[in-house]
Amino acid sequence: NNELQKLTVHINHFVLRGKALKVASIQNISNELDREELEAWKKLMHVLVHEIMNSVTPMKTLTYSLYNLYQQNDHPKSLKEFEVQDIEDTFQGLKALNKRVQGLMQFVESYRKLYKIPEPVFTNFSFSEIIEELQTLYKEELQEKKINLCLSENKNLKLFADKSLLTQVIINLVKNAIEAFENTTQPKIKITLSENQNKKTISITDNGTGINSEILKDIFIPFFTTKTNGTGIGLYYSKLIILMHKGTLRVSSVFEKGSTFTIQL
């Protein structure tokens, strides 16, 4: 009836009395996908509203305070009525407003970054090239925090991907792993690369604080973060890049024991 449907199709092959046969099952999953999409949008809206209100509410309070500072009996104060403290309060109020505006602009810039990811340019390269860049970037921090970085024995395996974008993903995941160490006596990050049936699997495992099961399902939602100064786009950005490679990015985690992020290409 000219209606767009979302279907899942499964085909099984078998032989019956020497004759090759196929059985196909087709299932309409439109409702399930629509529910998932609506739930995802609801979570995104919740995060967006939360972030915007965090900036707008104090801005509203500050502007109202400044307005009251400059008016008297529904008229602007004259210059003679101003005191030195009024000027100081105005300066501090405008300074705070500017800080909140900058924070809001940074939030918008983070959002804009998400839809400006360039299309992947696929090339063949060795995974060791990413590892070398990673070691150079985090050498001092790993030494300072006494973090043991264990590398894959198969680091010379070839990958067919966008090297620049994939490097960004690995850097994001390693950065998160480094930040996950809190009161960990022997912090360790293990990066492995394996190949099975032409599929490459990259795993990044840490023995840090892990992720609470209550928030595990939300960590790939844009702008969702539990960090004080986090933007909440790192993991979403990483997953988007991997999806553009026709791959998958998954996570498994045990609270207070560690996490593993797995990329399959």
Side-chain angles (χ1 to χ4, degrees):
N1 297 323
N2 296 318
E3 183 180 341
L4 180 65
Q5 300 285 351
K6 298 167 186 173
L7 309 174
T8 177
V9 181
H10 296 279
I11 299 177
N12 291 318
H13 300 258
F14 64 98
V15 177
L16 180 63
R17 295 178 182 175
K19 187 177 180 181
L21 299 172
K22 294 179 186 177
V23 172
S25 64
I26 302 173
Q27 185 178 2
N28 186 345
I29 56 170
S30 296
N31 288 341
E32 287 78 3
L33 290 176
D34 287 345
R35 274 196 293 268
E36 288 290 325
E37 185 178 351
L38 286 171
E39 190 62 30
W41 276 110
K42 193 160 65 175
K43 288 178 180 177
L44 175 58
M45 289 301 107
H46 173 76
V47 175
L48 286 172
V49 169
H50 176 74
E51 287 297 322
I52 292 170
M53 290 304 293
N54 276 350
S55 290
V56 172
T57 301
M59 286 167 67
K60 178 183 176 184
T61 304
L62 278 167
T63 51
Y64 185 72
S65 298
L66 288 173
Y67 172 78
N68 283 335
L69 192 65
Y70 278 79
Q71 67 93 30
Q72 188 173 14
N73 299 325
D74 293 328
H75 295 285
K77 281 184 180 179
S78 66
L79 289 175
K80 294 179 181 179
E81 294 175 296
F82 272 94
E83 300 176 4
V84 174
Q85 187 60 46
D86 292 334
I87 297 173
E88 177 63 24
D89 290 344
T90 301
F91 176 76
Q92 293 299 331
L94 290 173
K95 185 179 177 182
L97 273 173
N98 182 61
K99 188 177 180 181
R100 290 279 28 133
V101 169
Q102 291 297 325
L104 201 55
M105 286 298 296
Q106 186 180 6
F107 174 74
V108 174
E109 282 298 321
S110 298
Y111 181 77
R112 184 156 54 182
K113 181 182 177 182
L114 294 180
Y115 66 82
K116 282 196 170 182
I117 302 175
E119 284 296 319
V121 178
F122 290 86
T123 58
N124 282 301
F125 61 93
S126 172
F127 186 59
S128 61
E129 295 177 42
I130 293 181
I131 294 297
E132 286 168 11
E133 187 172 338
L134 198 67
Q135 287 176 306
T136 303
L137 187 64
Y138 286 111
K139 182 180 179 181
E140 291 184 9
E141 190 170 3
L142 292 171
Q143 289 176 348
E144 182 185 334
K145 296 181 178 179
K146 297 179 180 178
I147 298 171
N148 181 17
L149 180 63
C150 302
L151 302 174
S152 169
E153 294 178 359
N154 296 328
K155 64 181 182 180
N156 290 319
L157 275 176
K158 293 286 185 180
L159 293 172
F160 184 64
D162 185 306
K163 181 185 168 187
S164 176
L165 290 176
L166 188 59
T167 301
Q168 280 186 265
V169 173
I170 304 297
I171 286 172
N172 275 342
L173 296 178
V174 170
K175 178 176 176 287
N176 285 347
I178 291 173
E179 292 173 352
F181 296 122
E182 189 177 328
N183 302 321
T184 304
T185 51
Q186 294 180 319
K188 179 179 178 182
I189 299 173
K190 185 178 181 182
I191 301 176
T192 61
L193 172 63
S194 59
E195 183 176 23
N196 184 28
Q197 295 180 348
N198 294 324
K199 288 282 187 181
K200 305 289 197 312
T201 302
I202 304 167
S203 295
I204 299 171
T205 303
D206 67 72
N207 61 341
T209 55
I211 304 169
N212 192 311
S213 59
E214 292 180 3
I215 66 171
L216 192 62
K217 66 181 184 304
D218 296 329
I219 63 171
F220 291 111
I221 295 174
F223 310 113
F224 176 85
T225 182
T226 57
K227 300 173 186 175
T228 306
N229 298 316
T231 60
I233 67 166
L235 286 175
Y236 177 77
Y237 185 74
S238 298
K239 188 159 189 174
L240 210 54
I241 289 173
I242 298 303
L243 285 173
M244 290 170 73
H245 281 74
K246 310 298 183 187
T248 59
L249 173 59
R250 302 187 307 276
V251 60
S252 62
S253 185
V254 178
F255 189 54
E256 295 184 345
K257 289 190 176 181
S259 305
T260 297
F261 284 85
T262 304
I263 300 167
Q264 192 171 68
L265 299 171

